[in-house]
Amino acid sequence: MPRQFCVGGNWKMNGDKAQITGIMDTLKGATLDPNTEVVLGCPAIFLEFTRSNLPARFGVAAQNSYKVAKGAFTGEISPAMIRDVGCDWVILGHSERRAIFGESDQLVAEKVIHALQSGLKVIACIGETLEEREAGKTEEVVFRQSKALADAIGADWSNVVVAYEPVWAIGTGKTATPQQAQDVHAALRKWFAANVSQAVADAVRIQYGGSVTAANCKELGACPDIDGFLVGGASLKPEFIDIINARM
Ligand code: PEP
């Protein structure tokens, strides 16, 4: 079965109701590739607003969730709360969460399994820093991050999308070349075949993220193991439509 192309927008801590309304109007008015799944990662406080103003054709994702359903965890939100406001997705393990908020592989894995058990679909982010790439450790890092996820998730990855996001490419304007991205995606698929199952390796969608734009999305999207994108900066701009339509 071919893997459905999936493009996520990660608005990060950007936007207000007026700006989000503009983005939603652009999306609703555009001709979009019907074969591409689109998921919008919006700030927690705007989840309900975004969900209630977009057709079901668009998924809406939180950008984080905690590892338990409720309790004394001031400032956190749970997958149950995300579902309660009508959303189906969460982005977990983003490099900004890992680097700025100190999230470990273990914590990310615990969040992922709790989100899945709560009925959310998960975009799980992995990726190496520049230092790690330059030290030749790209595969070691992404395999370590994938192993933490696999140990928690087990055999069923049907509600998981993996986002390979080299940290050096996020928000820097430095995109991985299609070859660099394809090489890591192919290595990850081999890793899944060896460490989870051939079925998961064949079926799991692996997005590329890191300075994707209208100008580079077609070449990246043509790579056989790239099944979509996770897009930060450009997801706030009209060019996001071109990225959604990269394969059209
Ligand atoms: C991201 O935030 O996941 C991302 C890839 O950002 P950008 O597209 O701006 O590099």
Side-chain angles (χ1 to χ4, degrees), residues 5 31-36 218 241-242 244-248:
F5 207 65
T31 302
L32 301 179
D33 185 337
N35 298 314
T36 297
K218 277 201 183 292
I241 304 299
D242 298 316
I244 292 169
N245 291 338
R247 283 217 174 146
M248 202 158 73

Side-chain angles (χ1 to χ4, degrees), residues 10 12 94 96 125 165 169-173 208-212 230-235:
N10 176 15
K12 314 194 188 199
H94 191 279
E96 288 151 18
C125 306
E165 300 204 296
I170 296 178
T172 58
Y208 167 77
S211 298
V212 175
L230 185 57
V231 184
S235 71

Side-chain angles (χ1 to χ4, degrees), residues 204-226:
V204 72
R205 292 178 292 175
I206 309 177
Q207 296 174 322
Y208 167 77
S211 298
V212 175
T213 63
N216 59 30
C217 64
K218 277 201 183 292
E219 225 190 321
L220 285 161
C223 296
D225 288 297
I226 296 182

Side-chain angles (χ1 to χ4, degrees), residues 67 98 103-113 144-145 147-149 151-152:
K67 61 179 179 176
R98 293 176 187 263
E103 294 192 10
S104 63
D105 292 346
Q106 178 62 28
L107 177 59
V108 172
E110 285 173 331
K111 288 180 171 199
V112 168
I113 191 61
R144 187 201 73 221
Q145 293 167 329
K147 182 178 185 315
L149 294 172
D151 287 347

